[in-house]
Amino acid sequence: MCGIFGCILREGSAVKQITEGLKRLEYRGYDSVGVATIDHGELEIRKDAGKIEDVVARHRILDMKGSIGIGHTRWATHGAPTMVNAHPHADGSRSIALIHNGVIENYMELKEELLEKGHEFKSRTDTEVMPHLIEEELKTGVSLQGAFLRALRRVRGSYAFVVLSTVEPDKIYCARNESPLVIGVSENGVYCASDVPALLPYTNKVNYLRNGEMAVLTLNGYQIIKISDGSTVERGLTDITWSPESAEKLGYTHYMLKEIHEQPSSLRDALRLQERYLNLLTTFLDRGKEVFLLAAGTSYHSCIAGSYLFSRLARLTTVPIISSEFIERYGSSVGIDSIVLAVSQSGETYDTLKAVDYARMRASTVLGITNTVGSTLTRVSRAYLIQQSGPEIGVAATKTFTSQVLVLAQMALKLAKLRGKLSQDELDEFQEKLLRVPEWVEETINKQEERVKELAKTHMDDRFFVFLGRGISSATALEGRLKLMEITYVPSLAYPAGESKHGPISVVEDGVSCIFVCPQGDSHSHILGSIMEMKARGAKIISICEEGDEQVKKLSDEVVEMPREIPEELSPIVYVVPLQLLAYHMAVLKGLDPDKPRNLAKSVTVP
Ligand code: G6P
């Protein structure tokens, strides 16, 4: 998400290297920039919204003095991209500057506690609680390290924190949980950064901080400490052999592959929704007479999955609708009692915003789910949730789809609770399964990528594919087909399996590849019939099914086996992963660039 760079130098100006380092992290996407340095014991912070060069020029950042400093490029998750919300954030006494990448889950309760103790907050970020928490701990007389450790033990969520303080003006403290942080050492100094590319011009000797570790950097080197018990961790430096270009992709050949592999972590962040906004959105949904789920492209497929989730968990009927169709189809009938939940990764898709404007004009309530704080959708929605997937650079959406479905699943569960539609046991059980989604996705990537690569090889010359799924798996089939078509350009069809006999079956003949999405659940027995229908017409059957599903295995030519115990309602998030990988590997085998498919744009902001 955000870019981080910190350094302590023997010679030279810290800001020069910080701004250069931040520029090398630009590819991560950002909306604001900030730097803090210490010179002769004085802490100075300069920051603003905007591009690196503009902010650096506007605030004369290169004039900042000192050989120690930290810098940040922000991708907003809490609070719009504005100057006050930009990092670094300071404590009340302005002796601590702190930058953060990640999401602090319990910041509301920490903030309330700190407000009661008289702390004043300037921003709307979750991050700002952290310097205040350290300040509060320092008041008890502990060292800066002690205060940082205690504060770290109180925050829940994902973070890479970097701290600069006049209390110990020659040190940088940093810590990591789930958000990346790398330490680098060169002859001229010690560094930390969110990613290796920022460090490569200065050093290729790095130490990756691990989850639950903090580190103290000084000119003499660094010390790593376990946050849980304060014990020292001994781990030497690693040599990096990546080129700067491959380092931007963390060694992955394409952003799309990197983003597919990021899903266990982006899904963990999607589970860290802000409770109060989740409650607000579900309250609105509960009150509506009719609820539309409005979106385009991949986000529309999330909405289809969402409609099953709302019905099955919360017994709420919702209507998924393609943005560009909304006005013609429902424009004359929507009104004050209608709720429009718009789902858009970018928050800027023209068709979605146009439909939203229309709905607002008709006095409907507009709600949003987006990945982009400060986007137009966040400004025009009565309430919105941020899906927290971090920037997605590959044009074909991958991690943003899985996060959107996970956000919708949490909304559906919350609504089920509000409406009293599930028993306490059912609620608890589903909640427990929700938390396991990232680990299922991780297991799928680890165990099945090689298998999927083989499939891609076997089928790379196939000229046509049919994707079929039933119930919520029809959303998975549609999304799998969209990925394949977008980046390999191979024509394909996707249909709810039951509907395939009303047309699509006529194109199935000897050798046509049919990809079936078959999780366990209510739809399972029906999908067996559809597989048999296609098999009888000579189709080659490739099935994505649960490990040990002998019925499906017996009927299929090839299978990809998925983890057990995934409830059907959550299956799109996990079952789409082999389909993303299939599209990716097939595109690469065909010599195509999956990151930049022809004729497509990441965000379509024109009619
Ligand atoms: C474009 C992109 C798709 C995306 C769609 C909707 O077509 O190529 O990947 O799903 O726009 O974008 P949104 O930002 O509204 O989710």
Side-chain angles (χ1 to χ4, degrees), residues 296-299 343-347 349 352 395-397 404 486 601-602 604:
T298 288
S299 300
V343 180
S344 170
Q345 186 281 128
S346 60
T349 296
T352 305
V395 166
Q404 283 170 350
E486 278 181 313
K602 184 75 195 155
V604 182

Side-chain angles (χ1 to χ4, degrees), residues 1-4 25-32 72-78 100-103 126 158 178-180 194-195 258 262 265-270 272 371 373 386-393 399 403:
M1 280 192 213
C2 308
I4 287 179
L25 295 170
E26 265 185 316
Y27 64 91
R28 296 171 70 100
Y30 64 92
D31 48 50
S32 36
H72 187 261
T73 51
R74 173 171 188 250
W75 170 274
T77 58
H78 292 74
H100 168 218
N101 173 15
V103 180
D126 52 340
S158 59
E178 289 180 32
S179 303
S194 44
D195 267 341
K258 171 176 172 276
E262 260 168 22
S265 132
S266 54
L267 288 165
R268 283 187 188 106
D269 279 339
R272 302 191 166 102
N371 195 27
V373 180
I386 298 296
Q387 60 182 83
Q388 298 179 163
S389 324
E392 189 176 62
I393 294 168
K399 62 174 179 168
S403 291

Side-chain angles (χ1 to χ4, degrees), residues 294-302 323 343-353 369-372 377 387 392 394-398 400-401 404 479 482-483 486 597 599-605:
L294 179 85
T298 288
S299 300
Y300 172 64
H301 297 154
S302 306
S323 305
V343 180
S344 170
Q345 186 281 128
S346 60
E348 300 294 349
T349 296
Y350 175 88
D351 289 332
T352 305
L353 294 178
I369 296 178
T370 179
N371 195 27
T372 318
L377 182 59
Q387 60 182 83
E392 189 176 62
V395 166
T398 50
T400 55
F401 170 76
Q404 283 170 350
E479 179 57 12
L482 181 64
K483 288 309 90 159
E486 278 181 313
N599 306 336
L600 297 176
K602 184 75 195 155
S603 181
V604 182
T605 54

Side-chain angles (χ1 to χ4, degrees), residues 541-560:
I541 310 292
I542 305 162
S543 296
I544 320 290
C545 64
E546 195 177 276
E547 193 187 332
D549 182 342
E550 295 307 325
Q551 287 174 305
V552 168
K553 278 166 89 175
K554 222 179 274 167
L555 293 172
S556 309
D557 298 291
E558 288 152 306
V559 291
V560 179

